[in-house]
């Protein structure tokens, strides 16, 4: 990627002395911090060791970029992927910040110059891969550079517990000691406790200050539907999302190829992406997706990591992801700009059976298998959620929340009915068998099947025996899972998943609480979802088109993705406020001093020309 613009204005060699809130507006062009950013920026600026866990799209980069501007010297940013570095560096340059990357994609001379700029203190941010950073040569050359701090991006790569372990990350701690860097700050979107502890131990000398951001991404609407005719469901979905950029995930390469070809035959601008394609074709398709508006990429899970496109408007799953972590990560690729985005997932019981079979057939230890089984159960429970899907999702990540108003359950797209009597039957089976049995046996009792186990325990003599004959085994499984999700009873992992009652469950048995369960036949209703953030709605659509075309030209001239020039939100605000002077442009979302200078006049001219007719 070429030098978009040369650095200068925003980089003050000794460190920018303005308060963070001012730099945020003047340099980055943002009117407010996103949740959590301010506290983290404060801690980083105060020199603390920080480990921040923020969901994808939460705005992690700003948390080290902004403090890096405030101090003398260069901040080293360790990042695992060249593509990721490239995007970040070109975005920073567009803001007028002295940033560069050292990587194998650059030629020798370019890298040499970059190192010189780091050593002279002229650079503020230096992006580098862990392999390169830990080479003996690099350490020698950086030794006398004015190093301000070490920022580690995608820090979960340091841990074997994480989903993306990279042995090179293990060397970072040592490099830090060798270079005598005083402060390390680390960022990740992976939440679980074990990974977090592992990161803390491997990257830091003493325990870092940990920041845990909510995993909620309220601007992404959630929906999951049982698969009937996948292609028809996909087409119906796309019809409501014409002209938007999005990702359609499929489970296998073959499904990707078939689906992409199918969409292309229906006139969609769709490209395939999976690890089986030639490298050049894959890169080309990814590039088309990044640069052009309204492209659909049909992909396996190989697609996504390091794709930092903020304006992906939807994610559609043709197939169910393998677990909730994967689901969350994939839908999280939508709406990173904070604007309304849509996720829609199809699921079928065939694939769930398949997941279960893979687990049983795998070579994993029994302990590992049990973890995997639990994960599948949690996933199925999310599919069948009888109440706000987001509450169920966040609960899985250990976060309590209120019904969101932006999922299929909240919007009434899923039919529920009064299932109190069914719930009472299920719960009484739990109680009568003294909370000592798993779901399968409980269902056997409910359905009045005289198995050996039933006879051995004398459960055929219980009053509950056979009271659930009217429901199939499959239906009862769903009922149990739903009761588990709502929290009326839970399988106890410590006791071979024997179901235990909760206080809420006892209230149901005593008739003090009504239980709403969902019907399995889903009927989707068409309602407009509430959005996460208010967007200008009073913009002039023709002007917006004109501004988008201008953005396209400017981005092409500079060989960068469109959003590096201005985001969609910025253009919408411009098309709504219609500023006539540079001064009036100040304060529009995404327009800081640098962009005001670089692009302000051109956009003003375009707005003026448009208004003049
Ligand atoms: P991630 O946490 O996934 O690394 P990024 O740092 O890439 O997220 O930020 C995601 C998007 O949010 C980027 O387009 C970034 O410019 C934007 N962003 C970050 N902070 C703010 C803010 N305070 N206000 C508005 N947009 C922001
Ligand atoms: Zn909801």
């Amino acid at each position: 990627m070429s030098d978009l613009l040369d650095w200068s204005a925003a980089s003050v060699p000794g460190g920018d002395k303005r308060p963070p809130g001012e730099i945020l507006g003047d340099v980055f062009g943002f009117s407010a911090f996103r949740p959590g950013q301010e506290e983290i920026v404060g801690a980083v600026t105060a020199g603390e060791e920080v480990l921040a866990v923020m969901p994808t799209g939460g705005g992690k980069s700003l948390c080290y970029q902004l403090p890096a501007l405030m101090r003398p010297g260069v901040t080293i940013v360790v990042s695992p992927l060249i593509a990721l570095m490239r995007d970040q560096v070109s975005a920073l340059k567009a803001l007028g910040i002295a940033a560069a990357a050292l990587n194998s994609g650059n030629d020798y001379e370019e890298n040499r110059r970059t190192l010189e700029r780091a050593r002279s203190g002229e650079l503020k941010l230096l992006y580098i891969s862990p392999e390169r950073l830990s080479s003996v040569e690099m350490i020698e050359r950086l030794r006398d550079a004015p190093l301000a701090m070490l920022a580690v991006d995608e820090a979960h790569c340091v841990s074997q517990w994480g989903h993306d372990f990279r042995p090179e990350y293990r060397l970072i701690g040592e490099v830090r000691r060798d270079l005598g860097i005083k402060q390390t700050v680390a960022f990740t979107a992976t939440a679980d406790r074990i990974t977090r502890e592992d990161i803390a131990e491997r990257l830091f000398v003493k325990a870092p200050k940990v920041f845990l951001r909510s995993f909620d991404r309220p601007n992404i609407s959630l929906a999951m539907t049982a698969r009937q005719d996948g292609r028809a469901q996909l087409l119906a979905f796309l019809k409501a999302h014409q002209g938007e950029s999005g990702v359609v995930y499929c489970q296998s390469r073959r499904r990707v190829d078939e689906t992409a070809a199918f969409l292309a035959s229906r006139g969609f601008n769709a490209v395939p992406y999976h690890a089986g394609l030639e490298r050049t074709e894959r890169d080309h398709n990814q590039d088309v997706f990044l640069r052009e508006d309204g492209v659909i990429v049909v992909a396996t899970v190989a697609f996504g990591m390091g794709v930092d496109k903020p304006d992906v408007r939807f994610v559609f799953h043709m197939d169910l992801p393998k677990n909730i972590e994967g689901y969350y990560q994939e839908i999280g690729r939508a709406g990173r700009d904070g604007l309304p985005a849509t996720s829609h997932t199809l699921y079928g019981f065939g694939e769930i059976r398949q997941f279960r079979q893979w687990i049983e057939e795998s070579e994993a230890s029994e302990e590992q298998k049990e973890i995997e089984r639990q994960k599948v159960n949690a996933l199925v429970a999310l599919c069948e959620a009888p109440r706000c899907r987001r509450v169920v999702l966040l609960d899985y990540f250990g976060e309590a929340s209120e019904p969101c108003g932006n999922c299929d359950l909240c919007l009434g797209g899923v039919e529920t009915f009064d299932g109190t009597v069914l719930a009472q039957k299920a719960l009484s089976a739990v109680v009568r068998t003294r909370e000592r049995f798993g779901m399968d046996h409980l269902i056997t009792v409910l359905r009045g099947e005289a198995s050996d186990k039933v006879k051995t325990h004398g459960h055929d003599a219980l009053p509950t025996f056979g009271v659930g004959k009217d429901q199939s085994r499959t239906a009862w499984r769903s009922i149990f899972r739903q009761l588990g999700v709502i929290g009326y009873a839970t399988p106890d992992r410590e006791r071979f998943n024997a179901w235990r009652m909760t206080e809420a469950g006892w209230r149901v048995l005593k008739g003090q609480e009504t239980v709403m369960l969902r019907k399995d036949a889903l009927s989707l209703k068409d309602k407009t979802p509430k959005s996460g953030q208010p967007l200008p709605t009073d913009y002039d659509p023709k002007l917006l088109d004109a501004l988008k075309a201008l953005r396209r030209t400017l981005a092409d001239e500079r060989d960068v993705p469109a959003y590096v020039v201005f985001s969609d939100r910025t253009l919408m605000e411009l098309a709504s406020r219609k500023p006539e002077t540079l001064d009036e442009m100040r304060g529009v979302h995404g327009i800081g001093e640098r962009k005001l200078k670089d692009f302000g006049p051109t956009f003003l001219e375009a707005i003026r020309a448009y208004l003049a007719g």
Side-chain angles (χ1 to χ4, degrees):
M1 204 163 284
S2 69
D3 271 25
L4 166 60
L5 296 156
D6 210 1
W7 64 280
S8 65
S11 300
V12 184
D16 195 325
K17 296 285 181 289
R18 285 174 290 186
E22 248 174 66
I23 301 178
L24 181 73
D26 294 349
V27 177
F28 292 90
F30 298 143
S31 56
F33 283 109
R34 289 246 178 98
Q37 284 180 327
E38 190 163 15
E39 295 91 308
I40 299 172
V41 166
V44 176
T45 311
E48 292 196 62
E49 303 268 281
V50 165
L51 167 58
V53 183
M54 280 173 116
T56 305
K60 284 184 281 296
S61 335
L62 185 101
C63 298
Y64 59 82
Q65 291 168 348
L66 199 159
L69 301 183
M70 297 178 65
R71 59 183 70 185
V74 55
T75 291
I76 294 186
V77 185
V78 179
S79 177
L81 288 176
I82 294 185
L84 210 82
M85 295 189 209
R86 216 172 47 178
D87 285 355
Q88 297 254 351
V89 168
S90 58
L92 286 167
K93 282 185 177 172
L95 298 173
I97 294 168
L102 281 175
N103 62 48
S104 50
N106 301 338
D107 62 31
Y108 175 79
E109 183 53 27
E110 216 174 331
N111 279 340
R112 198 192 57 79
R113 248 184 305 134
T114 299
L115 257 177
E116 258 336 290
R117 290 173 67 202
R119 285 152 58 105
S120 71
E122 182 191 313
L123 269 189
K124 297 276 40 154
L125 289 136
L126 176 64
Y127 283 75
I128 188 167
S129 68
E131 298 90 314
R132 200 165 261 262
L133 176 65
S134 53
S135 76
V136 178
E137 192 202 349
M138 189 57 66
I139 291 173
E140 280 318 309
R141 306 190 85 185
L142 285 173
R143 205 180 285 286
D144 54 352
L147 302 178
M149 69 178 158
L150 181 67
V152 183
D153 205 0
E154 312 286 353
H156 57 272
C157 293
V158 79
S159 171
Q160 259 163 322
W161 294 97
H163 48 81
D164 201 28
F165 175 52
R166 293 180 176 236
E168 317 86 70
Y169 262 69
R170 290 278 163 99
L171 304 169
I172 297 174
E174 213 163 299
V175 172
R176 168 202 174 130
R177 270 192 299 282
D178 280 358
L179 289 173
I181 300 174
K182 298 265 170 349
Q183 185 186 7
T184 304
V185 296
F187 298 85
T188 175
T190 302
D192 68 273
R193 196 177 42 82
I194 304 177
T195 312
R196 221 156 58 220
E197 287 170 0
D198 208 21
I199 298 172
E201 197 169 304
R202 292 183 186 278
L203 288 181
F204 297 90
V205 180
K206 60 179 176 49
K209 189 162 180 178
V210 177
F211 291 87
L212 264 178
R213 257 332 293 178
S214 164
F215 266 58
D216 196 7
R217 297 280 306 280
N219 61 312
I220 304 174
S221 69
L222 308 176
M224 297 174 102
T225 329
R227 186 182 309 98
Q228 281 128 16
D229 176 345
R231 286 187 173 183
Q233 286 167 300
L234 174 62
L235 283 183
F237 176 87
L238 292 177
K239 211 168 159 201
H241 295 272
Q242 276 169 13
E244 296 181 358
S245 300
V247 185
V248 175
Y249 278 110
C250 302
Q251 205 187 84
S252 68
R253 296 174 184 182
R254 208 187 52 170
R255 286 267 284 179
V256 167
D257 290 333
E258 288 170 0
T259 308
F262 168 70
L263 287 181
S265 77
R266 294 300 180 97
F268 289 94
N269 191 0
V271 293
Y273 188 103
H274 58 69
L277 295 175
E278 288 291 334
R279 181 69 197 253
T280 45
E281 184 180 359
R282 218 165 51 196
D283 287 353
H284 172 78
N285 290 351
Q286 176 168 328
D287 238 41
V288 167
F289 177 66
L290 286 177
R291 279 151 197 253
E292 289 176 21
D293 285 335
V295 177
I296 299 167
V297 62
V298 185
T300 59
V301 292
F303 181 81
M305 167 103 165
V307 177
D308 188 11
K309 184 175 166 62
D311 55 354
V312 176
R313 293 271 70 87
F314 67 81
V315 167
F316 187 96
H317 283 111
M318 282 294 274
D319 303 299
L320 189 60
K322 284 205 190 63
N323 49 45
I324 294 185
E325 286 86 350
Y327 166 78
Y328 180 78
Q329 193 171 41
E330 283 152 34
I331 64 164
R333 304 221 156 97
R336 295 174 66 145
D337 53 10
L339 303 184
T342 310
S343 77
H344 196 119
T345 301
L346 300 184
Y347 64 89
F349 284 93
E351 62 209 328
I352 291 167
R353 242 192 329 270
Q354 177 81 70
F355 294 159
R356 293 212 160 100
Q357 200 176 329
W358 282 333
I359 296 170
E360 299 317 321
E361 288 169 356
S362 80
E363 307 274 301
S365 66
E366 187 47 38
E367 194 190 355
Q368 185 70 38
K369 280 186 183 176
E370 187 49 34
I371 293 176
E372 301 295 330
R373 287 184 202 120
Q374 296 298 335
K375 287 194 173 197
V376 172
N377 289 343
L379 177 69
V380 179
L382 178 65
C383 292
E384 294 181 329
R387 57 166 184 175
C388 175
R389 205 177 286 288
R390 201 176 311 267
V391 169
V392 177
L393 178 64
L394 293 176
D395 180 60
Y396 179 79
F397 291 115
E399 221 178 296
S401 64
E402 294 296 314
C404 73
N406 196 18
C407 72
D408 47 356
L409 273 296
C410 285
L411 293 169
V414 176
E415 219 177 314
T416 55
F417 67 101
D418 184 340
T420 310
V421 173
L422 287 172
Q424 285 169 335
K425 287 180 180 173
L427 295 174
S428 81
V430 173
V431 173
R432 302 268 184 191
T433 56
R434 305 192 178 181
E435 303 179 287
R436 285 173 49 218
F437 293 86
M439 178 164 55
D440 275 324
H441 183 71
L442 294 171
I443 294 175
T444 308
V445 173
L446 282 162
R447 289 184 34 82
E449 293 164 12
S451 70
D452 288 348
K453 197 166 167 186
V454 164
K455 285 188 225 149
T456 313
H457 293 280
H459 289 164
D460 44 357
L462 294 176
T464 331
F465 187 72
V467 294
K469 274 201 180 76
D470 54 335
Q471 301 291 330
S472 70
R473 192 159 268 276
T474 318
W476 276 116
R477 284 214 183 93
S478 172
I479 293 166
F480 270 100
R481 279 190 298 259
Q482 294 189 50
L483 294 176
V485 167
I486 314 175
Y488 291 128
T490 68
D492 185 348
R493 286 189 205 188
E494 315 264 284
R495 294 188 305 127
F496 306 101
N497 294 320
W499 280 64
R500 255 188 313 107
M501 294 292 289
T502 64
E503 264 175 50
W506 281 108
R507 285 200 297 277
V508 173
L509 271 185
K510 288 181 199 149
Q512 295 165 347
E513 200 161 316
T514 308
V515 180
M516 295 308 286
L517 296 175
R518 61 184 282 171
K519 288 202 171 125
D520 268 306
L522 309 181
S523 55
L524 282 181
K525 287 183 203 117
D526 198 12
K527 287 198 186 171
T528 342
K530 248 185 2 202
S531 78
Q533 276 181 28
L535 250 192
T537 47
D538 54 348
Y539 56 81
D540 179 335
K542 283 223 184 83
L543 176 55
L544 182 65
D545 284 345
L547 298 182
K548 277 192 176 168
L550 174 59
R551 172 175 73 173
R552 176 82 275 136
T553 314
L554 293 173
D556 284 347
E557 279 168 19
R558 288 162 177 78
D559 193 23
V560 294
Y563 62 82
V564 169
V565 176
F566 279 144
S567 69
D568 286 358
R569 173 183 281 267
T570 304
L571 295 190
M572 285 181 194
E573 282 192 20
L574 286 175
S576 140
R577 294 201 207 175
K578 306 191 182 83
E580 290 179 33
T581 63
L582 281 180
D583 232 29
E584 288 176 20
M585 239 184 205
R586 244 181 264 273
V588 168
H589 171 91
I591 306 192
E593 289 303 326
R594 182 63 195 232
K595 286 202 179 171
L596 188 68
K597 206 164 100 212
D598 289 332
F599 302 121
T602 322
F603 276 86
L604 267 189
E605 188 48 48
I607 294 168
R608 228 175 267 151
Y610 175 83
L611 292 179

